[in-house]
């Protein structure tokens, strides 16, 4: 008997299945978990995925309905035998008689294209209505169908408790009223808007919105306008491999508190950034919708680039990809750049053919302290790749750290670039070289 | 250093016989700014102490900041409760463990730890060690954390129990916790039918 008791004091390991206890031993154990009041049992279940919580209904009669009290629900309609079974199951959770609060709702919805359109979507409206009444805070909807988009029920537009919303492939219809006083995070991926101003009005109705992520579909040609007094982080992705010559799409962003902005866009033909304050970190990969970034193309976009650049001139950190730098390099041949007075950290990826533009660009960053340069193509440098044409002020006074990711094959050309920094930067503390050394190289 | 190495019991007995020694120790503490181990309960300190009385007669004195981790106690302090706080629903053994948790999790004033990933990681490791206790203690901690309204501890303890349930069949869960299956065969069938999605072996 003593031995069995000692067994019980052993620290609980995860693999406790099949301890093979005798019947006598089992009757000595207290069923402590069943002694917990139901709200605490449900609290334990709330740390499990919905499926595991539902499985506990099978344990004993006391556990049968506990999963219904768990304040979160994660369902995937694809896991059910058919849509009817999925709706029937969800209806139990969203039953109007239930009033316990819902914290998190995560639904993956698939539409069978054979089924009747009107019939199908109707279940979502009472579900969202119930969720809003029960003070839902986090909603994540993902639709898997391309042909038919689920429409987001309007009752979610006035959810007073919503803190984060993530939608993938849904339709947002316009509404008279938008009011989301607690929404902090909004992610809209491949969303179809019935009205061009819907997004703008939605964002403006979120007084505490901090993070906004937008992923735009390839066939969406709208002008995206975002205006927010509270927004801190903005991510915008809009890419297409198809040529969209006739689009007039663009992005306008006005957010005085913005701290992070990343734009990865090869479709939009214009960008406008208003009220960006210093301290912001930017990541830019954009080409103003040009199929080929060359002098002719950039010349045609000259005005738009000119109105874009001052908007970002107060950034503190900038990361620029090769196409964007190429655009800037070609633009520099036409017009001067505004001063990026606050830029202290710059990360540039560029092609060998654009290296020549680097010193001129650095002239616009008088207070630069950290510079990362990476070459993104395998074209080798030659004597004409780089000239120490000018020595910008930042090299002389502020540049402390330089990190070069270039392919050193031992030719003098690369050393020209390295020496450019070594010789001209009195305050330089660190010059890091990341290179692939070929066998014939001598440093 | 001499003072630091004296075991607590000797210090207490010395104090009993020599009030002047207390004065000496306090001044040493103040001068060196080092808390003398074993004397923390007697050292003059600026933060207020709260006394907690357990159901089995034990008494604990802790800093107010630590006590405030419990929303129940914080509310009582706010509404003017000055003297010792009676906690009828918690035993001494459990409360000791609860206090250990609260002490480690007291937010210290200083630069925001929001982005401090390293500190968060260390705390998580401490939590994982802290919760390695037997079944009886875990359930006592759940009840105590719920009664005292300590969000972090309740979450930690519930998650630990949930981890025993995760990925197990209902029969396995019954075995682990010693739960008796009181379904009739007809009821079992009904439950299985209405929740067939969760039991589908294909998933």
């Amino acid at each position: 008997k003593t031995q069995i008791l000692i067994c019980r004091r052993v620290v609980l390991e995860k693999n406790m299945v099949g301890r093979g206890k005798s019947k006598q031993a089992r009757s000595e154990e207290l069923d402590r978990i069943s002694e917990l009041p139901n709200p605490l049992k449900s609290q334990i279940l709330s740390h499990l995925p919905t499926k595991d919580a539902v499985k506990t209904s099978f344990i004993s009669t006391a556990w049968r309905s506990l999963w219904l009290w768990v304040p979160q629900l994660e369902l995937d309609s694809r896991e059910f035998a058919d849509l009817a079974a999925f709706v029937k199951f969800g209806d139990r959770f969203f039953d109007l008689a239930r009033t316990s609060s819902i914290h998190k709702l995560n639904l993956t919805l698939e539409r069978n294209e054979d089924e009747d359109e009107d019939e199908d979507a109707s279940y979502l409206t009472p579900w969202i209505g119930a969720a809003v009444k029960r003070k839902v805070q986090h909603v994540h909807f993902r639709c898997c169908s391309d042909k038919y988009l689920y429409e987001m029920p309007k009752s979610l537009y006035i959810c007073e408790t919503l803190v984060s919303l993530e939608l993938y492939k849904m339709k947002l219809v316009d509404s008279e009223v938008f009011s989301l006083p607690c929404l902090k995070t909004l992610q809209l991926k491949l969303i179809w808007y019935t009205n061009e101003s819907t997004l703008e009005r939605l964002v403006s109705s979120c007084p505490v919105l901090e993070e906004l992520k937008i992923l735009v579909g390839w066939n969406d040609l709208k002008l995206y306008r975002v205006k927010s007094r509270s927004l801190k982080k903005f991510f915008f992705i809009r890419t297409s491999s198809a040529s969209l010559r006739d689009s007039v799409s663009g992005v306008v962003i006005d957010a005085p508190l913005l701290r992070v902005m990343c734009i990865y866009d090869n479709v939009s033909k214009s960008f406008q950034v208003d009220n960006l304050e210093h301290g912001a970190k930017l990541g830019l990969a954009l080409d103003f919708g040009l199929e080929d970034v060359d002098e002719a193309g950039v010349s045609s976009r000259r005005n738009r680039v000119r109105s874009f650049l001052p908007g970002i001139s107060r950034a503190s950190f900038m990361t620029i990809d090769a196409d964007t730098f190429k655009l800037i390099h070609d633009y520099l041949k036409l017009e001067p750049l505004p001063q990026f007075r606050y830029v202290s950290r710059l990360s540039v990826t560029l092609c060998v053919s654009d290296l020549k533009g680097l010193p001129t660009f650095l002239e616009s960053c008088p207070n630069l302290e950290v510079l990362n340069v990476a070459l993104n193509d395998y074209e080798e440098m030659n004597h004409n790749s780089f000239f120490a044409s000018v020595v910008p002020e930042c090299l002389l006074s502020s540049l402390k750290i330089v990190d070069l990711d270039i392919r050193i094959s031992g030719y003098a050309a690369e050393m020209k670039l390295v020496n450019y920094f070594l010789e001209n930067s009195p305050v330089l503390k660190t010059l890091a070289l990341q290179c692939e050394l070929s066998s014939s190289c001598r440093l | 250093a001499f003072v630091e190495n004296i075991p607590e019991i000797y210090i207490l007995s010395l104090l009993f016989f020599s009030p002047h020694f207390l004065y000496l120790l306090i001044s040493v503490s103040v001068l060196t700014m080092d808390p003398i181990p074993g004397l923390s309960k007697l050292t003059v300190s600026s933060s207020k102490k709260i006394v907690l009385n357990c159901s089995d007669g034990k008494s604990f004195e802790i800093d107010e900041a630590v006590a405030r981790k419990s929303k129940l106690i914080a509310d009582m302090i706010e509404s003017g409760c000055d003297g010792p706080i009676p906690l009828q629903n918690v035993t001494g053994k459990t409360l000791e463990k609860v206090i250990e948790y609260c002490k480690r999790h007291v937010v210290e004033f200083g630069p925001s730890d929001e982005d401090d990933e390293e500190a968060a990681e260390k705390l998580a490791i401490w939590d994982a060690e802290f919760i390695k206790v037997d079944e009886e203690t875990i359930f006592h901690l759940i009840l105590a954390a719920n009664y005292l309204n300590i969000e972090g501890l309740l979450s930690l303890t519930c998650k630990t129990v949930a981890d025993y349930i995760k990925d197990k069949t209902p029969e396995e869960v019954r075995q682990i916790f010693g739960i008796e299956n009181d379904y009739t065969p007809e009821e079992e069938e009904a439950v299985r039918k209405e929740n067939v999605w969760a039991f589908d072996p294909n998933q």
Side-chain angles (χ1 to χ4, degrees):
Chain A
K1 212 178 181 182
T2 325
Q3 266 197 321
I4 297 165
L5 284 174
I6 289 172
C7 264
R8 290 219 61 241
R9 291 220 157 63
V10 165
V11 167
L12 276 178
E13 302 290 338
K14 269 205 171 178
N15 308 328
M16 282 179 58
V17 177
R19 278 186 289 180
K21 290 224 180 128
S22 69
K23 203 168 177 204
Q24 186 192 24
R26 197 173 292 178
S27 65
E28 304 224 340
E29 277 178 39
L30 290 172
D31 174 8
R32 284 213 172 74
I33 195 169
S34 293
E35 282 175 19
L36 292 178
N38 280 353
L40 281 182
K41 291 216 258 304
S42 297
Q43 175 96 314
I44 291 172
L45 294 186
S46 69
H47 291 274
L48 291 171
T50 301
K51 203 177 245 183
D52 281 316
V54 173
K55 265 199 220 159
T56 65
S57 63
F58 204 67
I59 290 176
S60 77
T61 54
W63 289 75
R64 186 167 184 170
S65 307
L66 282 179
W67 71 269
L68 284 165
W69 292 89
V70 172
Q72 63 221 25
L73 187 72
E74 189 181 320
L75 289 181
D76 187 336
S77 71
R78 297 170 297 185
E79 291 177 357
F80 287 77
D82 54 34
L83 190 67
F86 172 66
V87 174
K88 188 167 173 201
F89 190 83
D91 279 343
R92 284 165 64 204
F93 187 83
F94 290 109
D95 188 281
L96 284 172
R98 308 202 66 81
T99 52
S100 60
S101 56
I102 298 177
H103 185 73
K104 202 154 129 181
L105 186 56
N106 189 325
L107 294 181
T108 305
L109 309 168
E110 189 186 47
R111 275 211 49 135
N112 201 327
E113 275 136 28
D114 305 326
E115 291 173 28
D116 186 11
E117 281 188 17
D118 294 322
E119 216 178 81
D120 271 344
S122 58
Y123 70 87
L124 207 54
T125 312
W127 285 13
I128 298 296
V132 170
K133 267 211 188 111
R134 289 162 71 175
K135 308 196 180 123
V136 67
Q137 289 184 35
H138 302 271
V139 171
H140 184 163
F141 278 17
R142 198 182 310 114
C143 294
C144 305
S145 143
D146 275 326
K147 255 187 162 183
Y148 177 79
L149 296 177
Y150 274 97
E151 193 179 289
M152 172 54 73
K154 285 194 197 177
S155 48
L156 196 66
Y157 293 165
I158 47 172
C159 180
E160 288 184 353
T161 48
L162 198 62
V163 169
S164 82
L165 178 62
E166 187 176 328
L167 301 176
Y168 179 77
K169 281 191 182 171
M170 289 190 83
K171 201 194 297 184
L172 284 183
V173 294
D174 202 16
S175 167
E176 298 264 305
V177 187
F178 287 100
S179 170
L180 297 164
C182 295
L183 193 68
K184 279 201 178 153
T185 309
L186 181 58
Q187 292 192 41
L188 300 169
K189 300 177 181 168
L190 303 180
I191 302 296
W192 190 258
Y193 308 90
T194 53
N195 191 317
E196 221 184 80
S197 63
T198 306
L199 174 67
E200 192 182 345
R201 291 179 52 223
L202 174 61
V203 170
S204 303
S205 73
C206 308
V208 297
L209 189 68
E210 287 182 11
E211 188 172 318
L212 176 61
K213 283 192 190 171
I214 299 182
L215 171 64
V216 182
W218 67 273
N219 53 356
D220 180 335
L221 305 175
K222 278 189 15 273
L223 173 72
Y224 274 79
R225 201 188 290 268
V226 170
K227 187 167 171 161
S228 168
R229 300 190 95 87
S230 57
L231 196 66
K232 290 191 182 147
K233 294 187 186 175
F234 180 58
F235 301 90
F236 189 84
I237 301 178
R238 182 184 218 166
T239 57
S240 169
S241 47
S243 145
L244 297 167
R245 260 184 220 140
D246 297 328
S247 82
V248 288
S249 48
V251 183
V252 175
I253 164 104
D254 177 354
L257 293 188
L258 207 57
R259 281 268 143 296
V260 175
M261 179 166 84
C262 289
I263 300 184
Y264 182 34
D265 183 334
N266 70 353
V267 172
S268 296
K269 288 191 170 155
S270 68
F271 296 90
Q272 189 180 321
V273 179
D274 296 324
N275 296 317
L276 190 75
E277 291 298 318
H278 71 88
K281 300 183 191 179
L282 300 187
L284 299 174
L286 37 85
D287 61 12
F288 283 80
L290 289 168
E291 257 182 80
D292 298 303
V293 183
D294 53 23
E295 292 183 27
V298 176
S299 183
S300 70
R301 296 273 192 276
R302 186 174 177 161
N303 294 333
R304 296 185 201 223
V305 178
R306 193 192 309 124
S307 54
F308 167 64
L309 288 173
I312 58 164
S313 62
R314 304 184 71 155
S316 298
F317 286 27
M318 281 214 295
T319 303
I320 300 181
D321 86 329
D323 273 340
T324 311
F325 189 80
K326 196 187 273 291
L327 187 112
I328 292 177
H329 182 203
D330 287 336
Y331 179 79
L332 268 172
K333 295 175 188 161
L334 306 169
E335 300 202 25
L337 286 181
Q339 289 283 298
F340 290 85
R341 206 161 284 120
Y342 302 97
V343 166
S344 63
R345 253 192 117 101
L346 179 66
S347 227
V348 183
T349 307
L350 38 73
C351 306
V352 169
S353 50
D354 291 312
L355 258 180
K356 293 189 206 104
L358 188 61
T360 323
F361 180 64
L362 290 178
E363 281 201 299
S364 307
C365 309
N367 298 309
L368 189 66
E369 291 177 21
V370 179
L371 174 66
N372 290 27
V373 178
L375 287 182
N376 84 331
D377 57 9
Y378 287 92
E379 194 190 312
E380 273 183 5
M381 285 176 69
N382 57 40
H383 288 287
N384 290 327
S385 297
F386 183 74
F387 299 114
S389 46
V390 288
V391 179
E393 191 191 318
C394 61
L395 255 74
L396 296 173
S397 60
S398 59
L399 195 61
K400 295 199 183 91
I401 301 174
V402 173
D403 190 315
L404 300 174
D405 183 357
I406 57 183
R407 264 140 237 104
I408 298 229
S409 1
Y411 292 128
E414 288 94 340
M415 296 322 297
K416 239 206 229 175
L417 179 64
V418 176
N419 285 327
Y420 172 68
F421 290 106
L422 286 176
E423 288 165 9
N424 293 310
S425 316
V427 287
L428 191 67
K429 282 193 192 147
T430 317
L431 183 114
L433 282 179
Q434 296 175 52
C435 50
E436 288 165 25
L437 302 174
S438 74
S439 51
S440 62
C441 121
R442 274 171 301 154
L443 263 182
Chain B
F2 163 74
V3 166
E4 274 165 14
N5 288 325
I6 302 176
E8 184 179 4
I9 185 77
Y10 294 131
I11 295 175
L12 288 172
S13 53
L14 271 172
L15 285 169
F16 187 73
F17 292 110
S18 163
H20 299 298
F21 194 56
L22 174 62
Y23 175 75
L24 172 69
L25 284 165
I26 292 170
S27 12
V28 166
S29 158
V30 165
L31 283 173
T32 60
M33 301 300 271
D34 260 343
I36 300 171
L39 265 198
S40 53
K41 291 178 197 152
L42 303 166
T43 309
V44 173
S45 120
S46 54
S47 86
K48 188 170 160 209
K49 296 287 187 196
I50 305 285
V51 175
L52 305 173
N53 289 333
C54 310
S55 57
D56 52 1
K58 279 206 195 142
S59 218
F60 292 90
E61 193 186 53
I62 53 174
D63 284 343
E64 181 175 328
V66 174
R68 275 178 174 273
K69 286 298 285 182
S70 153
K71 284 216 178 87
L72 177 81
I73 296 179
D75 286 343
M76 286 172 96
I77 297 175
E78 293 298 316
S79 48
C81 181
D82 238 355
I85 295 179
L87 298 172
Q88 287 309 315
N89 292 348
V90 194
T91 64
K93 184 172 164 228
T94 309
L95 189 60
E96 206 175 326
K97 201 80 177 133
V98 170
I99 290 174
E100 192 189 329
Y101 177 88
C102 294
K103 276 189 177 157
R104 182 63 178 84
H105 280 253
V106 158
V107 175
E108 273 151 24
F109 293 107
S112 162
D113 288 324
E114 255 179 9
D115 298 320
D116 197 344
E117 276 180 37
E118 213 188 293
E121 238 182 78
K122 274 195 189 148
L123 198 60
I125 294 173
W126 187 92
D127 279 351
E129 276 305 311
F130 170 81
I131 208 66
K132 280 188 182 155
V133 292
D134 60 67
E135 192 179 305
E136 190 181 341
T137 311
I138 289 203
F139 286 114
H140 283 150
L141 282 175
I142 290 181
L143 289 164
N146 182 52
Y147 170 65
L148 293 168
N149 200 343
I150 305 172
E151 204 180 301
L153 183 58
L154 185 59
S155 188
L156 175 66
T157 46
C158 285
K159 175 137 205 329
T160 308
V161 176
D163 284 342
Y164 296 136
I165 298 178
K166 193 167 165 45
D167 295 332
K168 305 275 195 318
T169 66
E171 178 51 42
E172 288 167 342
V173 176
R174 283 191 209 117
Q175 272 202 0
I176 294 176
F177 294 109
I179 306 170
E180 211 185 294
N181 179 3
D182 58 351
Y183 276 125
T184 67
E186 297 81 28
E187 284 173 331
E188 258 191 22
E189 188 50 40
V191 174
R192 188 177 282 281
K193 266 213 185 106
E194 76 188 6
N195 295 333
V196 66
W197 159 67
F199 296 106
D200 194 334
N202 292 337
Q203 307 305 330

